[in-house]
Amino acid sequence: MATKSSLLKVILLGDGGVGKSSLMNRYVTNKFDTHLFHTIGVEFLNKELEVDGHIVTMQIWDTAGQERFRSLRTPFYRGSDCCLLTFSVDDNQSFQNLNNWKKEFIYYADVKEPENFPFVVLGNKVDVAERQVSKEEAQAWCKENGNHPYFETSAKDAINVAVAFEEAVRRVLATEDRTDHLIPTDTVNLHKKPKPSSSCC
Amino acid sequence: MAVAAAGKVIYEQDSIFIHSHEDRSGDQESLVSGVLRLIEKDCEVIVEYKQLEDSVDSSSMLCAGKDSSSVVQWTQSPKEMSHKNLDNQLSYEAEWDMLNTVSFKKKPSNVDGASNHAHERSKWAFFFNVCDLKAVQVKKEGWSHLTIYLKDDTSLPDLHFHQGGSEAFLDCLKKYVSLNESPEKDVLVANNNSKGLSQSFENLLDDTTFGLIQKFKKDPYTTTMGSFSKVTKYLIDAFQGSDSVHQERPPTEMADLLNEAIPGLEINHQEEPGFEVITRVDLGSRPDVQRKEPVTLEDWHANMDNEGKMHNVNYIKHSIFKGGLCHAARKEAWKFLLGYYPWDSTKEYRKVLQKRKTDEYFRMKLQWKSISEEQEKRNSRLRDYKNLIEKDVNRTDRTNAFYEGTDNPGLLLLHDILMTYCMYDFDLGYVQGMSDLLSPILYVMENEVDAFWCFVSFMDQVHHNFEEQMQGMKSQLVQLSTLLRLLDLNFWNYLESQDSGYLYFCFRWLLILFKREFSFPNIMRLWEVMWTGLPCKNFHLLVCCAILDSEKQKIMDEHYGFNEILKHINELSMKLEVEEVLCKAESICLQIKNCKDLPYSVSEIMDDRNEKLIPTIQTVKNGTLEKGLIRTTAQMDDLSKNSVASGYDEVSRHRETSQNVYKLANV
């Protein structure tokens, strides 16, 4: 665990059309393309960033959201350090499906301790006027389902996107930190300053 | 049992029942009551079940009534139960009946494999190390009962928690072994190996084995794949090193998982009957190939008689293959190429056909148009299709003038045709990628009905790409791998060494036939060339080979790994030049066809029964004959009849049988 490289694999999951690719592109290239194609297959982009003194390369994986492509999507879940569960606030169904996405991820990524795995939830498209999912609803779901951090984002208007990705990194570093010290606690202190991982093996 | 008992008890609960069928009376169930413990000893954690007494301790047992909504208190005393005699047998029957209405889907218990029963009195007792736990199935039928599966593939007798408490047991168990929920049937799959954190794809090869076991056991398809064990062994050796827990997994199980996870895997499986070893075959040099000028509308009409019947069909096809079509000729020619219009139809016939097809289209369009909001609320599949179509239409070729801006009529047509296709083929419905296939067709047709029927024909060809199990994609990846292996074993080996031998990075190419790789004008050219069905079957796979051929040097020189290969291939999008790629693909085709000792697995992919017609016509028309195109032995004909996995072959059969259009055309 302690020998882990500074490459973090983060995977974006969520229904088709919630804005996974747009979020990735906004974060990595700071661009928003209204003409962006829907993703076929799997893509990824790298981004180097510094969080709390740690320099990490985030490898963001973006997948096709339709159920049909599950068998070709799921092999890429392996080795993920963090999962960004994404829905769109103007699409209640995509919110309802968060649970399925989480399940699918845990199952195929072979997460050993799902309760401790860093998930971050993104409610995208807050720029859209007609909301179907309220902030409170989304927050409540996150609270009930493992106290996941929740961010309301807009890839279009560049709202909260970087913050959300950075939180993902913090979450991963916090988990690593804890595992390194073998503290079997069920609570994760989000604001704990992650210490540099020490090599012990 | 004494071994287990000596440690520290972490969890203990009594009144855990085993429902035994092996009672004296034979088919009745009797209950064994016992205590379940989790014991920690010498750093090991043991699960132990010991029965309290032979007789049933059912003093406080609850069981569900027939409708399973009522719970009935069972009041039989243990003594009476264990010493039942003929006298009271009858009076119990009613109650036993009630008990039996609770349907236990219990498999015959097999404790033999667990090798931990010795004494008759304790024949239901068992213990096992949590390391040996494979999965736990949680069932609820009035109460919870657990089926425990061990790694040696034995299952222990179901443990019935009549008084509840199964969750406490599982929670306690979870402290020592990671139990992951599998998406189906309440199965918790144990995983107590330490997970490697390597970012590379090879992880999927090993860890998948745990999570997917239950799922694939249920998949009948994989049961036929038992003979994959050799591949399994090969892959384990190749990727896992020596000290992995996974090597203990039954080989068939592992193979099933691998097969699912890595579609191209079968290629490795050389020793299996039906697959042959492709050793280095001397292919000879690649002939030079020249592309020609596109077929103009005048050329097209020049081959049409007064009735509007096409003549020299094979010549026309060949010309289109060599040069494509001028844009002006596309609207007409594509209808023939795609099979909407039969090649031998007259103008008159086509008029009738078009009228009939128009009616048919609008009838289907009306079907979804007339669904009320209320109805839609109760039709989740249609709703899902509709939502996704709406989203994807807004994300398809939006930079093309035909589809750009808001409220563009092109977008509405795209939407309506895809919705109508859902009614045409509701089982398939809408799958992402279909909007990509439709877009150039609609652009060329500029007509809703014609575009729809051309799209239907195109979909017939690639239907298998979009089907539920993605079988078409998988078999194509396998075929591509076979071809690549023949063409450049060195490169193929390199890809294998980077865990990329199953060619996942070609997924997008194959799913939507390069739509995202080429510019709009280029994709129209590529498709019309491919629709000619020339110069061999599965020419699109040779297009893949051609593109890879141009990239292989860079991939190997830069020593790209799994991720880099995927990234590199993805980033080729819109950078490819269609004429160049087509030249190379045709050249590769000729090179392979010129090879005398072509392995069966390769000729099977490329052989086409109709091929012999082409050079003949060519001779007539051109006076020249391309030697490379002749390959029509009787043997080959037989082979292609037996070929299984060819998409295009399936399509031609499909067309012959299921499409009224074509039947009509032949009358």
Side-chain angles (χ1 to χ4, degrees), chain A residues 1-10 15-22 24 28 33-47 57 59-81 88 90-94 97 100 102-115 117 125 132 176 179, chain B residues 178-184 189 191-201 203-208 210-215 260-261 263 381 383-385 387-388 391-399 404-405 427-436 465-470 473-474 477 502 504 507-508 511-512 515-516 562-564 566-567 570-571 574:
Chain A
M1 203 69 189
T3 55
K4 191 171 180 108
S5 74
S6 60
L7 183 75
L8 300 186
K9 179 174 174 178
V10 172
D15 279 8
V18 299
K20 298 180 291 295
S21 306
S22 291
M24 177 173 81
V28 177
D33 183 0
T34 39
H35 301 322
L36 199 69
F37 276 101
H38 48 283
T39 309
I40 302 275
V42 176
E43 294 170 5
F44 73 92
L45 289 175
N46 289 333
K47 165 119 178 162
T57 304
Q59 191 173 75
I60 306 162
W61 287 77
D62 178 26
T63 59
Q66 199 178 8
E67 169 69 22
R68 191 65 51 101
F69 298 110
R70 188 159 80 174
S71 69
L72 292 139
R73 168 176 72 222
T74 51
F76 292 89
Y77 294 3
R78 326 243 10 121
S80 297
D81 296 295
S88 139
D90 70 336
D91 176 4
N92 187 52
Q93 189 61 48
S94 70
N97 283 340
N100 297 333
K102 189 178 170 185
K103 263 191 183 169
E104 182 179 296
F105 177 79
I106 290 170
Y107 180 60
Y108 288 99
D110 189 28
V111 174
K112 260 201 296 175
E113 298 171 60
E115 61 281 0
F117 189 87
K125 301 195 190 177
Q132 287 188 7
E176 280 188 319
T179 320
Chain B
S178 157
L179 288 174
N180 298 331
E181 241 179 283
S182 98
E184 31 188 292
V189 180
N191 179 7
N192 38 23
N193 69 318
S194 59
K195 189 175 120 194
L197 281 159
S198 144
Q199 305 288 320
S200 91
F201 199 71
N203 275 16
L204 95 92
L205 290 170
D206 50 44
D207 293 9
T208 350
F210 282 98
L212 306 178
I213 289 158
Q214 292 301 326
K215 182 183 165 201
E260 182 69 12
R381 279 185 71 188
R383 212 168 52 228
D384 287 349
Y385 292 152
N387 285 339
L388 205 52
K391 281 176 183 157
D392 285 357
V393 157
N394 283 311
R395 302 188 286 172
T396 305
D397 289 320
R398 293 303 298 280
T399 49
E404 79 184 351
D427 284 347
L428 189 68
Y430 173 75
V431 183
Q432 289 193 311
M434 280 162 56
S435 69
D436 281 276
N465 283 5
F466 295 96
E467 284 162 20
E468 194 66 45
Q469 298 303 318
M470 301 256 118
M473 292 302 300
K474 290 173 188 176
L477 288 169
Y502 68 104
Y504 180 88
F507 177 80
R508 189 173 70 194
L511 184 80
I512 48 174
K515 168 63 171 47
R516 299 276 179 94
F562 175 83
N563 287 348
E564 288 89 2
L566 178 68
K567 199 172 176 61
N570 275 345
E571 286 170 358
M574 299 297 150

Side-chain angles (χ1 to χ4, degrees), chain B residues 173-438:
Chain B
L173 197 59
K174 279 176 185 166
K175 289 178 189 159
Y176 303 96
V177 55
S178 157
L179 288 174
N180 298 331
E181 241 179 283
S182 98
E184 31 188 292
K185 279 227 153 186
D186 301 317
V187 174
L188 296 165
V189 180
N191 179 7
N192 38 23
N193 69 318
S194 59
K195 189 175 120 194
L197 281 159
S198 144
Q199 305 288 320
S200 91
F201 199 71
E202 71 190 52
N203 275 16
L204 95 92
L205 290 170
D206 50 44
D207 293 9
T208 350
T209 49
F210 282 98
L212 306 178
I213 289 158
Q214 292 301 326
K215 182 183 165 201
F216 293 116
K217 287 226 149 159
K218 291 188 184 86
D219 181 1
Y221 166 68
T222 51
T223 57
T224 61
M225 308 301 279
S227 57
F228 264 63
S229 52
K230 280 174 265 173
V231 189
T232 314
K233 180 71 176 69
Y234 163 75
L235 277 158
I236 290 171
D237 291 344
F239 296 131
Q240 305 227 330
S242 51
D243 59 345
S244 172
V245 195
H246 311 128
Q247 295 195 30
E248 294 165 21
R249 308 228 54 78
T252 47
E253 207 171 81
M254 176 90 171
D256 293 349
L257 299 163
L258 285 168
N259 174 58
E260 182 69 12
I262 312 159
L265 183 73
E266 288 148 84
I267 231 62
N268 297 323
H269 198 51
Q270 302 167 31
E271 291 133 79
E272 202 52 28
F275 289 84
E276 62 187 313
V277 182
I278 305 170
T279 46
R280 215 176 272 270
V281 175
D282 185 19
L283 278 173
S285 60
R286 260 178 218 165
D288 271 346
V289 167
Q290 300 295 316
R291 298 278 304 156
K292 288 180 181 156
E293 287 300 303
V295 173
T296 64
L297 192 60
E298 292 73 47
D299 295 337
W300 177 264
H301 283 138
N303 285 283
M304 201 175 260
D305 66 14
N306 293 336
E307 279 189 297
K309 231 178 187 172
M310 289 301 292
H311 285 261
N312 305 321
V313 173
N314 288 299
Y315 165 72
I316 278 286
K317 277 189 188 171
H318 184 74
S319 304
I320 296 171
F321 170 71
K322 290 300 289 183
L325 287 154
C326 285
H327 193 69
R330 282 186 175 131
K331 195 183 283 196
E332 173 101 343
W334 278 23
K335 292 172 192 161
F336 288 86
L337 282 172
L338 279 164
Y340 173 36
Y341 288 169
W343 286 98
D344 59 356
S345 61
T346 61
K347 211 174 237 167
E348 201 53 41
Y349 172 84
R350 293 197 289 270
K351 234 180 227 167
V352 177
L353 176 76
Q354 202 167 20
K355 194 184 171 303
R356 197 167 51 81
K357 287 288 164 190
T358 305
D359 290 347
E360 203 178 332
Y361 174 79
F362 284 108
R363 190 173 47 75
M364 289 188 288
K365 184 170 177 179
L366 193 65
Q367 285 169 356
W368 63 266
K369 277 270 189 189
S370 61
I371 284 174
S372 70
E373 248 175 74
E374 284 301 306
Q375 254 180 305
E376 199 182 293
K377 277 183 189 156
R378 294 184 294 268
N379 193 334
S380 60
R381 279 185 71 188
L382 184 72
R383 212 168 52 228
D384 287 349
Y385 292 152
K386 192 180 165 193
N387 285 339
L388 205 52
I389 288 172
E390 278 167 11
K391 281 176 183 157
D392 285 357
V393 157
N394 283 311
R395 302 188 286 172
T396 305
D397 289 320
R398 293 303 298 280
T399 49
N400 184 309
F402 196 76
Y403 300 110
E404 79 184 351
T406 45
D407 300 323
N408 188 318
L411 296 179
L412 189 64
L413 289 178
L414 212 50
H415 171 272
D416 286 3
I417 293 172
L418 289 169
M419 282 302 292
T420 308
Y421 187 81
C422 287
M423 306 317 287
Y424 173 82
D425 188 346
F426 200 78
D427 284 347
L428 189 68
Y430 173 75
V431 183
Q432 289 193 311
M434 280 162 56
S435 69
D436 281 276
L437 298 184
L438 172 59

